Amino acid sequence: MNRLGRSGVEVGPLGFGAAGIGNLYTPMDDEQAYEAVRAAWERGIRYFDTAPHYGLGLSERRLGAALRAHDRAAYTVSTKVGRRLEPADGTGDDLANGFAVPADHRRVWDFSADGVRRTLEASLDRLGLDRVDVVYLHDPDDHAEQAFREGYPALEKLRSEGVVGAIGAGMNQTEMLTRFVRDTDVDVVLCAGRYTLLDQSAAAELLPEAAARGVAVVIGGAFNSGLLADPTPESTYNYTRAPEELLDRALRMKAVAGRHGITLRAAALAYCAAHPAVASVLAGARSAAEVHDCAEQFATPVPAAFWRELRDTGLLPPEEPS
């Protein structure tokens, strides 16, 4: 287990990303979601990450229901604030935001102190919990002033009150996360898609700063939304159709992996976990089979010769992996 900064919160090296069980892209039933969480538990995963954004609260409700049978002290849950949910009387679905759920709520960007508390209270209600272990400011890209001026101090107060154990920010970029590491007292940052086999931008400043300051890093998006899981012309990269150049790189990496007797998925997960600043890698899964596969790939040793070949052929920078 790895500690998140100076907090007492610990996470395992592999975590469960719960966006999928919020009906990401396509619907699933409650039983399939339950089986995915149960499979994670069976594989020893004890860190679960969710958010109100994921399926307009559906992910939180399903995750809470699936974990209800387990001792609360035995697992770690993180959720997020910044998108407050309000009831809506609109019709249709939420597919424009990526989730196959009815559009019965709307998201309101709100990083105010009051908004942070209200959002967290609603999350606790959906989860059926009296506390969560970690709270992240969720995607404050276009709301930096309010996030730093109001949202972060609100989280700091919740931490000092013992309402949450660890606080941080979760984003798909590195610049603002680096600012959080340098300018605040966060315990952890969640960096999605910016430290992968195809994108090493977090290695420039974020990861070294976090390591130097004792801030933990959780990595999401190890497969860059699908391309590194199974590269095909239909694969997605950052949730859109993968550019031809990146598809070619991913296919070349897959070929190298095959020559060394491993899968590209195993290499992608191992790469994310290798940096000393990284406390956990979140694997998003929609089914028990996907969970079992991720756990097996994560446990697969990746030979040093594989990394050497990637560097020698220019598929990874000369200094990567660390």
Side-chain angles (χ1 to χ4, degrees):
M1 299 292 282
N2 299 313
R3 180 168 292 189
L4 300 182
R6 292 182 294 277
S7 76
V9 178
E10 293 184 328
V11 295
L14 182 64
F16 180 90
I21 65 169
N23 285 10
L24 182 65
Y25 302 132
T26 57
M28 68 166 67
D29 59 31
D30 290 345
E31 182 64 20
Q32 182 180 344
Y34 173 81
E35 290 298 329
V37 177
R38 186 173 76 166
W41 193 273
E42 290 173 352
R43 300 305 295 243
I45 294 172
R46 296 294 183 269
Y47 174 35
F48 301 87
D49 175 71
T50 184
H53 172 56
Y54 303 155
L56 294 172
L58 180 61
S59 172
E60 290 180 317
R61 288 192 294 272
R62 284 175 165 169
L63 180 62
L67 292 174
R68 206 149 291 152
H70 300 292
D71 178 6
R72 179 62 187 90
Y75 60 87
T76 298
V77 171
S78 59
T79 192
K80 305 179 184 75
V81 294
R83 289 176 173 94
R84 183 166 47 78
L85 300 183
E86 288 188 349
D89 54 8
T91 58
D93 56 44
D94 190 52
L95 281 172
N97 294 297
F99 296 93
V101 297
D104 55 5
H105 284 74
R106 65 187 184 96
R107 299 168 181 84
V108 178
W109 288 105
D110 190 351
F111 291 93
S112 69
D114 178 66
V116 165
R117 284 187 174 269
R118 289 170 58 193
T119 301
L120 180 56
E121 287 169 3
S123 289
L124 291 172
D125 184 61
R126 286 187 292 268
L127 285 160
L129 299 175
D130 61 0
R131 63 180 173 83
V132 291
D133 304 283
V134 188
V135 178
Y136 298 104
L137 297 169
H138 198 186
D139 295 337
D141 304 66
D142 299 324
H143 308 272
E145 182 180 352
Q146 188 179 49
F148 281 97
R149 188 184 69 246
E150 300 181 47
Y152 169 75
L155 287 188
E156 198 172 52
K157 191 169 190 297
L158 288 168
R159 183 179 60 185
S160 69
E161 294 170 350
V163 177
V164 300
I167 61 174
M171 305 181 72
N172 296 289
Q173 57 141 295
T174 64
E175 183 177 355
M176 195 180 298
L177 287 182
T178 304
R179 181 181 168 192
F180 274 106
V181 169
R182 287 173 173 161
D183 297 347
T184 74
D185 189 32
V186 292
D187 303 292
V188 56
V189 291
L190 197 171
C191 179
R194 304 285 78 83
Y195 190 65
T196 72
L197 287 175
L198 294 172
D199 185 337
Q200 295 87 46
S201 53
E205 290 188 279
L206 176 61
L207 293 176
E209 284 287 338
R213 296 171 186 268
V215 175
V217 178
V218 171
I219 296 294
F223 302 138
N224 280 127
S225 84
L227 181 56
L228 287 170
D230 182 23
T232 71
E234 288 72 43
S235 296
T236 55
Y237 176 83
N238 289 354
Y239 307 102
T240 61
R241 181 66 63 88
E244 187 173 342
E245 176 193 357
L246 290 181
L247 173 60
D248 178 67
R249 283 183 61 199
L251 287 170
R252 291 169 62 197
M253 288 180 173
K254 181 179 180 179
V256 175
R259 287 197 291 275
H260 290 274
I262 60 170
T263 66
L264 183 60
R265 300 189 305 285
L269 292 169
Y271 180 81
C272 294
H275 197 283
V278 173
S280 188
V281 178
L282 294 173
R286 292 177 49 86
S287 67
E290 288 184 2
V291 171
H292 287 301
D293 180 71
C294 281
E296 289 166 9
Q297 302 306 319
F298 191 77
T300 299
V302 178
F306 168 78
W307 303 118
R308 283 198 299 271
E309 184 169 347
L310 288 192
R311 292 194 299 269
D312 291 346
T313 56
L315 291 171
L316 274 183
E319 70 276 8
E320 296 290 344
S322 59

